[in-house]
Amino acid sequence: MHQQIGRGLGSEHAHPWWTYLRWAFAPARVGLPWSGWLIAGFAAAGLWRERQNPFLRRLGLWVLLLWIFQSALPYKTPWLMLALLLPLALLAGSGAAGAWRSLPSRRLAFGAALATVALLGAETLSRCRLHAVDPANPLAYSPSSPDLNHLQHDLDALAAASPQGR
């Protein structure tokens, strides 16, 4: 039993409890610097605006309890944050929908939606394509090096140089 409790402590994935907060909310040098705050702000607005909605209240409670539980565990990786991000995105969608409904005109709402999609596209391109292996990207946790593309060529060169030719 004691061995199970300490599992993950000696691994390179062992991090302090605040790690998920840092990955999500610390300003990044890759992508939009405060993008984590946008989803949290819209999620809080959605919870506040729809506080009588039992589904959204339960979703908010789920995010909070899951964050507490995952933060208490020593083993942390960015891909484990996905369990938090899906319900948080649903809450943020509710907040964004409320914000767009409160805009005075349809043109303004369409412009805001278009700007949001453009910003999300730029963020995704930056973090997932242009800086996918950049250490400044908090989501580039343990990526393969771009040099991996040269592995076959390097192996062939080593094989050709060996006495057996393989």
Side-chain angles (χ1 to χ4, degrees), residues 5-40:
I5 293 173
R7 192 174 207 179
L9 286 176
S11 121
E12 73 243 28
H13 303 297
H15 295 283
W17 71 267
W18 64 84
T19 301
Y20 288 132
L21 291 174
R22 181 177 43 117
W23 285 341
F25 300 120
R29 295 186 317 244
V30 172
L32 301 173
W34 298 98
S35 61
W37 287 98
L38 291 174
I39 191 169

PDB file of all heavy atoms in Angstrom, residues 5-40:
ATOM      1  N   ILE A   5       1.155   4.648  -2.740  1.00  0.00           N
ATOM      2  CA  ILE A   5       0.950   6.061  -2.407  1.00  0.00           C
ATOM      3  C   ILE A   5       2.079   6.918  -2.963  1.00  0.00           C
ATOM      4  O   ILE A   5       1.862   8.007  -3.481  1.00  0.00           O
ATOM      5  CB  ILE A   5       0.811   6.250  -0.880  1.00  0.00           C
ATOM      6  CG1 ILE A   5      -0.481   5.584  -0.416  1.00  0.00           C
ATOM      7  CG2 ILE A   5       0.840   7.722  -0.496  1.00  0.00           C
ATOM      8  CD1 ILE A   5      -0.647   5.555   1.076  1.00  0.00           C
ATOM      9  N   GLY A   6       3.304   6.432  -2.909  1.00  0.00           N
ATOM     10  CA  GLY A   6       4.450   7.202  -3.371  1.00  0.00           C
ATOM     11  C   GLY A   6       4.717   7.067  -4.850  1.00  0.00           C
ATOM     12  O   GLY A   6       5.689   7.626  -5.358  1.00  0.00           O
ATOM     13  N   ARG A   7       3.876   6.369  -5.558  1.00  0.00           N
ATOM     14  CA  ARG A   7       4.079   6.141  -6.986  1.00  0.00           C
ATOM     15  C   ARG A   7       4.107   7.480  -7.742  1.00  0.00           C
ATOM     16  O   ARG A   7       3.278   8.338  -7.538  1.00  0.00           O
ATOM     17  CB  ARG A   7       2.947   5.282  -7.512  1.00  0.00           C
ATOM     18  CG  ARG A   7       3.191   4.761  -8.864  1.00  0.00           C
ATOM     19  CD  ARG A   7       2.095   3.820  -9.228  1.00  0.00           C
ATOM     20  NE  ARG A   7       2.627   2.885 -10.182  1.00  0.00           N
ATOM     21  CZ  ARG A   7       1.955   1.906 -10.698  1.00  0.00           C
ATOM     22  NH1 ARG A   7       0.734   1.692 -10.325  1.00  0.00           N
ATOM     23  NH2 ARG A   7       2.500   1.114 -11.571  1.00  0.00           N
ATOM     24  N   GLY A   8       5.051   7.634  -8.611  1.00  0.00           N
ATOM     25  CA  GLY A   8       5.167   8.848  -9.406  1.00  0.00           C
ATOM     26  C   GLY A   8       6.053   9.903  -8.776  1.00  0.00           C
ATOM     27  O   GLY A   8       6.370  10.891  -9.405  1.00  0.00           O
ATOM     28  N   LEU A   9       6.483   9.703  -7.524  1.00  0.00           N
ATOM     29  CA  LEU A   9       7.303  10.714  -6.862  1.00  0.00           C
ATOM     30  C   LEU A   9       8.707  10.786  -7.434  1.00  0.00           C
ATOM     31  O   LEU A   9       9.281  11.853  -7.520  1.00  0.00           O
ATOM     32  CB  LEU A   9       7.367  10.444  -5.356  1.00  0.00           C
ATOM     33  CG  LEU A   9       6.111  10.771  -4.571  1.00  0.00           C
ATOM     34  CD1 LEU A   9       6.266  10.361  -3.116  1.00  0.00           C
ATOM     35  CD2 LEU A   9       5.776  12.241  -4.662  1.00  0.00           C
ATOM     36  N   GLY A  10       9.271   9.659  -7.825  1.00  0.00           N
ATOM     37  CA  GLY A  10      10.639   9.660  -8.317  1.00  0.00           C
ATOM     38  C   GLY A  10      10.739   9.878  -9.816  1.00  0.00           C
ATOM     39  O   GLY A  10      11.825   9.878 -10.367  1.00  0.00           O
ATOM     40  N   SER A  11       9.654  10.103 -10.483  1.00  0.00           N
ATOM     41  CA  SER A  11       9.670  10.223 -11.939  1.00  0.00           C
ATOM     42  C   SER A  11       9.929  11.664 -12.361  1.00  0.00           C
ATOM     43  O   SER A  11       9.778  12.598 -11.590  1.00  0.00           O
ATOM     44  CB  SER A  11       8.333   9.713 -12.467  1.00  0.00           C
ATOM     45  OG  SER A  11       7.636  10.652 -13.181  1.00  0.00           O
ATOM     46  N   GLU A  12      10.328  11.818 -13.628  1.00  0.00           N
ATOM     47  CA  GLU A  12      10.524  13.182 -14.150  1.00  0.00           C
ATOM     48  C   GLU A  12       9.200  13.914 -14.311  1.00  0.00           C
ATOM     49  O   GLU A  12       9.171  15.099 -14.585  1.00  0.00           O
ATOM     50  CB  GLU A  12      11.258  13.142 -15.490  1.00  0.00           C
ATOM     51  CG  GLU A  12      10.404  12.658 -16.622  1.00  0.00           C
ATOM     52  CD  GLU A  12      10.877  11.374 -17.265  1.00  0.00           C
ATOM     53  OE1 GLU A  12      11.519  10.560 -16.607  1.00  0.00           O
ATOM     54  OE2 GLU A  12      10.602  11.206 -18.448  1.00  0.00           O
ATOM     55  N   HIS A  13       8.092  13.197 -14.138  1.00  0.00           N
ATOM     56  CA  HIS A  13       6.763  13.802 -14.244  1.00  0.00           C
ATOM     57  C   HIS A  13       6.231  14.266 -12.892  1.00  0.00           C
ATOM     58  O   HIS A  13       5.101  14.729 -12.820  1.00  0.00           O
ATOM     59  CB  HIS A  13       5.777  12.823 -14.872  1.00  0.00           C
ATOM     60  CG  HIS A  13       6.192  12.328 -16.213  1.00  0.00           C
ATOM     61  ND1 HIS A  13       6.340  13.154 -17.300  1.00  0.00           N
ATOM     62  CD2 HIS A  13       6.521  11.088 -16.643  1.00  0.00           C
ATOM     63  CE1 HIS A  13       6.729  12.446 -18.348  1.00  0.00           C
ATOM     64  NE2 HIS A  13       6.845  11.193 -17.976  1.00  0.00           N
ATOM     65  N   ALA A  14       7.022  14.127 -11.833  1.00  0.00           N
ATOM     66  CA  ALA A  14       6.593  14.584 -10.515  1.00  0.00           C
ATOM     67  C   ALA A  14       6.772  16.103 -10.443  1.00  0.00           C
ATOM     68  O   ALA A  14       7.848  16.629 -10.712  1.00  0.00           O
ATOM     69  CB  ALA A  14       7.395  13.898  -9.417  1.00  0.00           C
ATOM     70  N   HIS A  15       5.691  16.787 -10.133  1.00  0.00           N
ATOM     71  CA  HIS A  15       5.704  18.253 -10.086  1.00  0.00           C
ATOM     72  C   HIS A  15       4.913  18.716  -8.868  1.00  0.00           C
ATOM     73  O   HIS A  15       4.058  17.998  -8.359  1.00  0.00           O
ATOM     74  CB  HIS A  15       5.063  18.843 -11.351  1.00  0.00           C
ATOM     75  CG  HIS A  15       5.816  18.541 -12.601  1.00  0.00           C
ATOM     76  ND1 HIS A  15       6.976  19.189 -12.954  1.00  0.00           N
ATOM     77  CD2 HIS A  15       5.580  17.645 -13.596  1.00  0.00           C
ATOM     78  CE1 HIS A  15       7.412  18.716 -14.109  1.00  0.00           C
ATOM     79  NE2 HIS A  15       6.585  17.770 -14.512  1.00  0.00           N
ATOM     80  N   PRO A  16       5.134  19.965  -8.420  1.00  0.00           N
ATOM     81  CA  PRO A  16       4.358  20.496  -7.286  1.00  0.00           C
ATOM     82  C   PRO A  16       2.893  20.713  -7.643  1.00  0.00           C
ATOM     83  O   PRO A  16       2.519  20.721  -8.819  1.00  0.00           O
ATOM     84  CB  PRO A  16       5.053  21.820  -6.956  1.00  0.00           C
ATOM     85  CG  PRO A  16       5.902  22.150  -8.127  1.00  0.00           C
ATOM     86  CD  PRO A  16       6.161  20.887  -8.878  1.00  0.00           C
ATOM     87  N   TRP A  17       2.076  20.935  -6.633  1.00  0.00           N
ATOM     88  CA  TRP A  17       0.623  21.019  -6.828  1.00  0.00           C
ATOM     89  C   TRP A  17       0.218  22.146  -7.763  1.00  0.00           C
ATOM     90  O   TRP A  17      -0.798  22.079  -8.427  1.00  0.00           O
ATOM     91  CB  TRP A  17      -0.102  21.129  -5.489  1.00  0.00           C
ATOM     92  CG  TRP A  17       0.094  22.452  -4.804  1.00  0.00           C
ATOM     93  CD1 TRP A  17       1.043  22.776  -3.885  1.00  0.00           C
ATOM     94  CD2 TRP A  17      -0.687  23.628  -5.003  1.00  0.00           C
ATOM     95  NE1 TRP A  17       0.930  24.084  -3.513  1.00  0.00           N
ATOM     96  CE2 TRP A  17      -0.144  24.635  -4.175  1.00  0.00           C
ATOM     97  CE3 TRP A  17      -1.781  23.945  -5.793  1.00  0.00           C
ATOM     98  CZ2 TRP A  17      -0.658  25.916  -4.127  1.00  0.00           C
ATOM     99  CZ3 TRP A  17      -2.296  25.236  -5.738  1.00  0.00           C
ATOM    100  CH2 TRP A  17      -1.735  26.198  -4.906  1.00  0.00           C
ATOM    101  N   TRP A  18       0.968  23.232  -7.847  1.00  0.00           N
ATOM    102  CA  TRP A  18       0.571  24.406  -8.641  1.00  0.00           C
ATOM    103  C   TRP A  18       0.975  24.291 -10.120  1.00  0.00           C
ATOM    104  O   TRP A  18       0.754  25.221 -10.896  1.00  0.00           O
ATOM    105  CB  TRP A  18       1.174  25.681  -8.053  1.00  0.00           C
ATOM    106  CG  TRP A  18       2.670  25.720  -8.087  1.00  0.00           C
ATOM    107  CD1 TRP A  18       3.461  26.102  -9.139  1.00  0.00           C
ATOM    108  CD2 TRP A  18       3.555  25.356  -7.046  1.00  0.00           C
ATOM    109  NE1 TRP A  18       4.781  25.987  -8.809  1.00  0.00           N
ATOM    110  CE2 TRP A  18       4.881  25.535  -7.524  1.00  0.00           C
ATOM    111  CE3 TRP A  18       3.390  24.893  -5.746  1.00  0.00           C
ATOM    112  CZ2 TRP A  18       5.994  25.258  -6.753  1.00  0.00           C
ATOM    113  CZ3 TRP A  18       4.500  24.629  -4.986  1.00  0.00           C
ATOM    114  CH2 TRP A  18       5.779  24.807  -5.491  1.00  0.00           C
ATOM    115  N   THR A  19       1.493  23.183 -10.546  1.00  0.00           N
ATOM    116  CA  THR A  19       1.999  23.036 -11.908  1.00  0.00           C
ATOM    117  C   THR A  19       0.920  23.275 -12.961  1.00  0.00           C
ATOM    118  O   THR A  19       1.155  23.973 -13.951  1.00  0.00           O
ATOM    119  CB  THR A  19       2.620  21.639 -12.095  1.00  0.00           C
ATOM    120  OG1 THR A  19       3.683  21.498 -11.151  1.00  0.00           O
ATOM    121  CG2 THR A  19       3.150  21.449 -13.495  1.00  0.00           C
ATOM    122  N   TYR A  20      -0.277  22.718 -12.776  1.00  0.00           N
ATOM    123  CA  TYR A  20      -1.336  22.921 -13.771  1.00  0.00           C
ATOM    124  C   TYR A  20      -1.728  24.393 -13.855  1.00  0.00           C
ATOM    125  O   TYR A  20      -2.022  24.904 -14.934  1.00  0.00           O
ATOM    126  CB  TYR A  20      -2.559  22.057 -13.465  1.00  0.00           C
ATOM    127  CG  TYR A  20      -2.334  20.595 -13.738  1.00  0.00           C
ATOM    128  CD1 TYR A  20      -2.680  19.635 -12.804  1.00  0.00           C
ATOM    129  CD2 TYR A  20      -1.771  20.165 -14.939  1.00  0.00           C
ATOM    130  CE1 TYR A  20      -2.470  18.290 -13.051  1.00  0.00           C
ATOM    131  CE2 TYR A  20      -1.558  18.825 -15.185  1.00  0.00           C
ATOM    132  CZ  TYR A  20      -1.910  17.891 -14.249  1.00  0.00           C
ATOM    133  OH  TYR A  20      -1.705  16.562 -14.502  1.00  0.00           O
ATOM    134  N   LEU A  21      -1.727  25.088 -12.739  1.00  0.00           N
ATOM    135  CA  LEU A  21      -2.018  26.531 -12.756  1.00  0.00           C
ATOM    136  C   LEU A  21      -0.954  27.282 -13.557  1.00  0.00           C
ATOM    137  O   LEU A  21      -1.276  28.161 -14.355  1.00  0.00           O
ATOM    138  CB  LEU A  21      -2.087  27.078 -11.329  1.00  0.00           C
ATOM    139  CG  LEU A  21      -3.270  26.632 -10.495  1.00  0.00           C
ATOM    140  CD1 LEU A  21      -3.123  27.140  -9.067  1.00  0.00           C
ATOM    141  CD2 LEU A  21      -4.573  27.116 -11.097  1.00  0.00           C
ATOM    142  N   ARG A  22       0.298  26.905 -13.345  1.00  0.00           N
ATOM    143  CA  ARG A  22       1.392  27.568 -14.069  1.00  0.00           C
ATOM    144  C   ARG A  22       1.294  27.296 -15.560  1.00  0.00           C
ATOM    145  O   ARG A  22       1.433  28.208 -16.381  1.00  0.00           O
ATOM    146  CB  ARG A  22       2.739  27.091 -13.525  1.00  0.00           C
ATOM    147  CG  ARG A  22       3.933  27.740 -14.186  1.00  0.00           C
ATOM    148  CD  ARG A  22       5.219  27.275 -13.537  1.00  0.00           C
ATOM    149  NE  ARG A  22       5.170  25.852 -13.304  1.00  0.00           N
ATOM    150  CZ  ARG A  22       5.989  24.964 -13.872  1.00  0.00           C
ATOM    151  NH1 ARG A  22       6.918  25.360 -14.680  1.00  0.00           N
ATOM    152  NH2 ARG A  22       5.881  23.681 -13.621  1.00  0.00           N
ATOM    153  N   TRP A  23       1.050  26.037 -15.932  1.00  0.00           N
ATOM    154  CA  TRP A  23       0.953  25.714 -17.358  1.00  0.00           C
ATOM    155  C   TRP A  23      -0.213  26.425 -18.024  1.00  0.00           C
ATOM    156  O   TRP A  23      -0.130  26.837 -19.173  1.00  0.00           O
ATOM    157  CB  TRP A  23       0.806  24.211 -17.560  1.00  0.00           C
ATOM    158  CG  TRP A  23       2.075  23.440 -17.345  1.00  0.00           C
ATOM    159  CD1 TRP A  23       3.357  23.929 -17.348  1.00  0.00           C
ATOM    160  CD2 TRP A  23       2.184  22.045 -17.091  1.00  0.00           C
ATOM    161  NE1 TRP A  23       4.239  22.914 -17.104  1.00  0.00           N
ATOM    162  CE2 TRP A  23       3.552  21.745 -16.950  1.00  0.00           C
ATOM    163  CE3 TRP A  23       1.263  21.011 -16.975  1.00  0.00           C
ATOM    164  CZ2 TRP A  23       4.017  20.458 -16.704  1.00  0.00           C
ATOM    165  CZ3 TRP A  23       1.727  19.730 -16.724  1.00  0.00           C
ATOM    166  CH2 TRP A  23       3.095  19.462 -16.594  1.00  0.00           C
ATOM    167  N   ALA A  24      -1.316  26.565 -17.314  1.00  0.00           N
ATOM    168  CA  ALA A  24      -2.515  27.154 -17.925  1.00  0.00           C
ATOM    169  C   ALA A  24      -2.513  28.680 -17.878  1.00  0.00           C
ATOM    170  O   ALA A  24      -2.981  29.321 -18.814  1.00  0.00           O
ATOM    171  CB  ALA A  24      -3.766  26.628 -17.223  1.00  0.00           C
ATOM    172  N   PHE A  25      -1.978  29.274 -16.809  1.00  0.00           N
ATOM    173  CA  PHE A  25      -2.200  30.707 -16.605  1.00  0.00           C
ATOM    174  C   PHE A  25      -0.953  31.580 -16.614  1.00  0.00           C
ATOM    175  O   PHE A  25      -1.069  32.794 -16.634  1.00  0.00           O
ATOM    176  CB  PHE A  25      -2.955  30.935 -15.299  1.00  0.00           C
ATOM    177  CG  PHE A  25      -4.292  30.265 -15.291  1.00  0.00           C
ATOM    178  CD1 PHE A  25      -4.596  29.300 -14.344  1.00  0.00           C
ATOM    179  CD2 PHE A  25      -5.244  30.566 -16.241  1.00  0.00           C
ATOM    180  CE1 PHE A  25      -5.832  28.668 -14.340  1.00  0.00           C
ATOM    181  CE2 PHE A  25      -6.474  29.943 -16.262  1.00  0.00           C
ATOM    182  CZ  PHE A  25      -6.768  28.996 -15.311  1.00  0.00           C
ATOM    183  N   ALA A  26       0.231  30.998 -16.596  1.00  0.00           N
ATOM    184  CA  ALA A  26       1.436  31.827 -16.668  1.00  0.00           C
ATOM    185  C   ALA A  26       1.561  32.368 -18.094  1.00  0.00           C
ATOM    186  O   ALA A  26       1.242  31.660 -19.050  1.00  0.00           O
ATOM    187  CB  ALA A  26       2.666  31.021 -16.293  1.00  0.00           C
ATOM    188  N   PRO A  27       2.016  33.604 -18.248  1.00  0.00           N
ATOM    189  CA  PRO A  27       2.150  34.135 -19.608  1.00  0.00           C
ATOM    190  C   PRO A  27       3.190  33.330 -20.385  1.00  0.00           C
ATOM    191  O   PRO A  27       4.274  33.065 -19.889  1.00  0.00           O
ATOM    192  CB  PRO A  27       2.602  35.578 -19.397  1.00  0.00           C
ATOM    193  CG  PRO A  27       3.132  35.626 -18.019  1.00  0.00           C
ATOM    194  CD  PRO A  27       2.447  34.552 -17.238  1.00  0.00           C
ATOM    195  N   ALA A  28       2.835  32.922 -21.577  1.00  0.00           N
ATOM    196  CA  ALA A  28       3.730  32.123 -22.413  1.00  0.00           C
ATOM    197  C   ALA A  28       4.404  33.005 -23.447  1.00  0.00           C
ATOM    198  O   ALA A  28       3.840  34.001 -23.876  1.00  0.00           O
ATOM    199  CB  ALA A  28       2.943  31.015 -23.109  1.00  0.00           C
ATOM    200  N   ARG A  29       5.604  32.626 -23.838  1.00  0.00           N
ATOM    201  CA  ARG A  29       6.304  33.351 -24.905  1.00  0.00           C
ATOM    202  C   ARG A  29       5.902  32.804 -26.268  1.00  0.00           C
ATOM    203  O   ARG A  29       6.365  33.273 -27.285  1.00  0.00           O
ATOM    204  CB  ARG A  29       7.814  33.220 -24.707  1.00  0.00           C
ATOM    205  CG  ARG A  29       8.290  33.888 -23.436  1.00  0.00           C
ATOM    206  CD  ARG A  29       9.802  33.861 -23.332  1.00  0.00           C
ATOM    207  NE  ARG A  29      10.383  32.594 -23.703  1.00  0.00           N
ATOM    208  CZ  ARG A  29      11.055  31.808 -22.873  1.00  0.00           C
ATOM    209  NH1 ARG A  29      11.225  32.145 -21.634  1.00  0.00           N
ATOM    210  NH2 ARG A  29      11.567  30.666 -23.303  1.00  0.00           N
ATOM    211  N   VAL A  30       5.039  31.800 -26.264  1.00  0.00           N
ATOM    212  CA  VAL A  30       4.565  31.166 -27.497  1.00  0.00           C
ATOM    213  C   VAL A  30       3.055  31.349 -27.554  1.00  0.00           C
ATOM    214  O   VAL A  30       2.356  31.083 -26.587  1.00  0.00           O
ATOM    215  CB  VAL A  30       4.922  29.667 -27.496  1.00  0.00           C
ATOM    216  CG1 VAL A  30       4.264  28.967 -28.653  1.00  0.00           C
ATOM    217  CG2 VAL A  30       6.421  29.484 -27.529  1.00  0.00           C
ATOM    218  N   GLY A  31       2.546  31.807 -28.674  1.00  0.00           N
ATOM    219  CA  GLY A  31       1.104  32.010 -28.789  1.00  0.00           C
ATOM    220  C   GLY A  31       0.664  33.281 -28.071  1.00  0.00           C
ATOM    221  O   GLY A  31       1.449  34.185 -27.821  1.00  0.00           O
ATOM    222  N   LEU A  32      -0.610  33.334 -27.728  1.00  0.00           N
ATOM    223  CA  LEU A  32      -1.136  34.480 -26.984  1.00  0.00           C
ATOM    224  C   LEU A  32      -0.649  34.386 -25.541  1.00  0.00           C
ATOM    225  O   LEU A  32      -0.824  33.358 -24.897  1.00  0.00           O
ATOM    226  CB  LEU A  32      -2.665  34.468 -27.010  1.00  0.00           C
ATOM    227  CG  LEU A  32      -3.316  34.513 -28.386  1.00  0.00           C
ATOM    228  CD1 LEU A  32      -4.819  34.320 -28.267  1.00  0.00           C
ATOM    229  CD2 LEU A  32      -3.008  35.816 -29.068  1.00  0.00           C
ATOM    230  N   PRO A  33      -0.050  35.436 -25.014  1.00  0.00           N
ATOM    231  CA  PRO A  33       0.574  35.318 -23.695  1.00  0.00           C
ATOM    232  C   PRO A  33      -0.400  35.002 -22.567  1.00  0.00           C
ATOM    233  O   PRO A  33      -0.034  34.347 -21.603  1.00  0.00           O
ATOM    234  CB  PRO A  33       1.249  36.667 -23.483  1.00  0.00           C
ATOM    235  CG  PRO A  33       0.825  37.545 -24.580  1.00  0.00           C
ATOM    236  CD  PRO A  33       0.138  36.736 -25.621  1.00  0.00           C
ATOM    237  N   TRP A  34      -1.626  35.423 -22.648  1.00  0.00           N
ATOM    238  CA  TRP A  34      -2.569  35.216 -21.545  1.00  0.00           C
ATOM    239  C   TRP A  34      -3.771  34.372 -21.978  1.00  0.00           C
ATOM    240  O   TRP A  34      -4.866  34.536 -21.463  1.00  0.00           O
ATOM    241  CB  TRP A  34      -3.063  36.561 -21.010  1.00  0.00           C
ATOM    242  CG  TRP A  34      -1.941  37.378 -20.467  1.00  0.00           C
ATOM    243  CD1 TRP A  34      -1.277  38.377 -21.105  1.00  0.00           C
ATOM    244  CD2 TRP A  34      -1.324  37.244 -19.193  1.00  0.00           C
ATOM    245  NE1 TRP A  34      -0.294  38.881 -20.310  1.00  0.00           N
ATOM    246  CE2 TRP A  34      -0.295  38.205 -19.123  1.00  0.00           C
ATOM    247  CE3 TRP A  34      -1.525  36.411 -18.097  1.00  0.00           C
ATOM    248  CZ2 TRP A  34       0.515  38.354 -18.000  1.00  0.00           C
ATOM    249  CZ3 TRP A  34      -0.712  36.559 -16.992  1.00  0.00           C
ATOM    250  CH2 TRP A  34       0.286  37.521 -16.948  1.00  0.00           C
ATOM    251  N   SER A  35      -3.575  33.454 -22.904  1.00  0.00           N
ATOM    252  CA  SER A  35      -4.704  32.713 -23.456  1.00  0.00           C
ATOM    253  C   SER A  35      -5.429  31.870 -22.411  1.00  0.00           C
ATOM    254  O   SER A  35      -6.635  31.666 -22.505  1.00  0.00           O
ATOM    255  CB  SER A  35      -4.250  31.843 -24.621  1.00  0.00           C
ATOM    256  OG  SER A  35      -3.293  30.901 -24.191  1.00  0.00           O
ATOM    257  N   GLY A  36      -4.729  31.361 -21.425  1.00  0.00           N
ATOM    258  CA  GLY A  36      -5.378  30.565 -20.381  1.00  0.00           C
ATOM    259  C   GLY A  36      -6.398  31.369 -19.599  1.00  0.00           C
ATOM    260  O   GLY A  36      -7.424  30.839 -19.151  1.00  0.00           O
ATOM    261  N   TRP A  37      -6.115  32.662 -19.438  1.00  0.00           N
ATOM    262  CA  TRP A  37      -7.037  33.517 -18.693  1.00  0.00           C
ATOM    263  C   TRP A  37      -8.333  33.762 -19.468  1.00  0.00           C
ATOM    264  O   TRP A  37      -9.376  34.008 -18.864  1.00  0.00           O
ATOM    265  CB  TRP A  37      -6.369  34.842 -18.345  1.00  0.00           C
ATOM    266  CG  TRP A  37      -5.350  34.665 -17.270  1.00  0.00           C
ATOM    267  CD1 TRP A  37      -4.010  34.536 -17.438  1.00  0.00           C
ATOM    268  CD2 TRP A  37      -5.598  34.544 -15.873  1.00  0.00           C
ATOM    269  NE1 TRP A  37      -3.400  34.345 -16.227  1.00  0.00           N
ATOM    270  CE2 TRP A  37      -4.350  34.359 -15.243  1.00  0.00           C
ATOM    271  CE3 TRP A  37      -6.744  34.584 -15.089  1.00  0.00           C
ATOM    272  CZ2 TRP A  37      -4.224  34.207 -13.872  1.00  0.00           C
ATOM    273  CZ3 TRP A  37      -6.612  34.430 -13.715  1.00  0.00           C
ATOM    274  CH2 TRP A  37      -5.370  34.254 -13.126  1.00  0.00           C
ATOM    275  N   LEU A  38      -8.264  33.713 -20.789  1.00  0.00           N
ATOM    276  CA  LEU A  38      -9.475  33.915 -21.594  1.00  0.00           C
ATOM    277  C   LEU A  38     -10.494  32.808 -21.323  1.00  0.00           C
ATOM    278  O   LEU A  38     -11.669  33.080 -21.095  1.00  0.00           O
ATOM    279  CB  LEU A  38      -9.129  33.966 -23.080  1.00  0.00           C
ATOM    280  CG  LEU A  38      -8.347  35.183 -23.550  1.00  0.00           C
ATOM    281  CD1 LEU A  38      -7.953  35.022 -25.009  1.00  0.00           C
ATOM    282  CD2 LEU A  38      -9.157  36.440 -23.348  1.00  0.00           C
ATOM    283  N   ILE A  39     -10.037  31.566 -21.356  1.00  0.00           N
ATOM    284  CA  ILE A  39     -10.974  30.463 -21.128  1.00  0.00           C
ATOM    285  C   ILE A  39     -11.486  30.488 -19.689  1.00  0.00           C
ATOM    286  O   ILE A  39     -12.673  30.266 -19.437  1.00  0.00           O
ATOM    287  CB  ILE A  39     -10.348  29.095 -21.495  1.00  0.00           C
ATOM    288  CG1 ILE A  39     -11.424  28.007 -21.517  1.00  0.00           C
ATOM    289  CG2 ILE A  39      -9.231  28.706 -20.565  1.00  0.00           C
ATOM    290  CD1 ILE A  39     -10.954  26.704 -22.118  1.00  0.00           C
ATOM    291  N   ALA A  40     -10.630  30.803 -18.735  1.00  0.00           N
ATOM    292  CA  ALA A  40     -11.063  30.873 -17.343  1.00  0.00           C
ATOM    293  C   ALA A  40     -12.044  32.023 -17.127  1.00  0.00           C
ATOM    294  O   ALA A  40     -13.045  31.881 -16.412  1.00  0.00           O
ATOM    295  CB  ALA A  40      -9.854  31.022 -16.417  1.00  0.00           C
TER     296      ALA A  40
END
